[in-house]
Amino acid sequence: MITNLLAYICRIRKLYREYLKDARQKHALSECEADVLLFLHNNPDMDMANQIAEYRIMPKANVSKAVDSLMQKGMLSSVRDSDDRRKIHLKITDNASEAINDIVFAQDKYKNRLFDGFTEAELRCHFEFLQKISQNAGAFSERK
């Protein structure tokens, strides 16, 4: 059973990479850069690098490298927090809008492919199961 579960996860991740590949290549983005842009796009209230690393479960060094690269490409800018100068908020620039639109479009195609033939009830159950699995995994990692 565990072998099948791990194979399913790998297959789903591989399909995701394939669907985003063309959009990433078109805009010369690494997987990590695309993840950072999408995270900021989907979570405008969580706009600091440490939040991206925490919620996306990515190494801080990878997020930092992606942020630096996106800033060099003009897709991100940074603003110091007015209350705490140690905090730096990341802002998506207009230069990133086409890339984000292309990646979101690719994500939608991926989602439609992945859930083709599912009823609304099946989708609800699926996400409830995934939420429980995620909570179990989170509880385990918090105990360590």
Side-chain angles (χ1 to χ4, degrees):
M1 184 167 111
I2 192 68
T3 301
N4 288 341
L5 176 64
L6 294 173
Y8 299 152
I9 291 168
C10 288
R11 193 173 301 130
I12 290 167
R13 180 72 178 152
K14 183 178 179 182
L15 182 65
Y16 181 74
R17 285 187 188 119
E18 283 299 313
Y19 267 84
L20 269 65
K21 183 178 169 184
D22 290 341
R24 286 189 317 94
Q25 287 179 342
K26 176 181 175 183
H27 299 284
L29 297 171
S30 69
E31 283 184 34
C32 192
E33 290 169 339
D35 285 345
V36 166
L37 283 177
L38 285 172
F39 182 87
L40 292 169
H41 173 73
N42 292 325
N43 305 282
D45 56 323
M46 291 189 278
D47 61 357
M48 294 188 294
N50 65 327
Q51 293 171 313
I52 298 168
E54 179 183 344
Y55 284 91
R56 291 285 292 133
I57 310 171
M58 298 165 64
K60 289 180 183 179
N62 292 8
V63 173
S64 179
K65 183 178 175 184
V67 166
D68 288 345
S69 178
L70 289 166
M71 289 179 80
Q72 288 176 357
K73 293 175 183 180
M75 294 182 163
L76 284 184
S77 64
S78 62
V79 178
R80 288 211 181 269
D81 190 288
S82 57
D83 296 328
D84 185 346
R85 307 258 321 137
R86 295 172 294 173
K87 293 181 180 178
I88 297 174
H89 299 277
L90 302 171
K91 303 295 176 204
I92 296 172
T93 67
D94 291 340
N95 291 346
S97 60
E98 183 182 349
I100 290 172
N101 288 339
D102 289 346
I103 295 169
V104 167
F105 181 75
Q107 264 189 334
D108 286 344
K109 284 175 43 178
Y110 163 77
K111 180 187 67 167
N112 291 339
R113 168 78 184 267
L114 202 61
F115 298 114
D116 184 40
F118 278 70
T119 66
E120 286 298 318
E122 289 170 330
L123 284 173
R124 265 193 311 280
C125 284
H126 169 75
F127 286 109
E128 287 172 9
F129 291 148
L130 284 178
Q131 186 176 19
K132 285 182 182 180
I133 291 169
S134 180
Q135 287 170 345
N136 290 344
F140 173 78
S141 62
E142 288 171 6
R143 283 186 275 162
K144 286 191 134 191

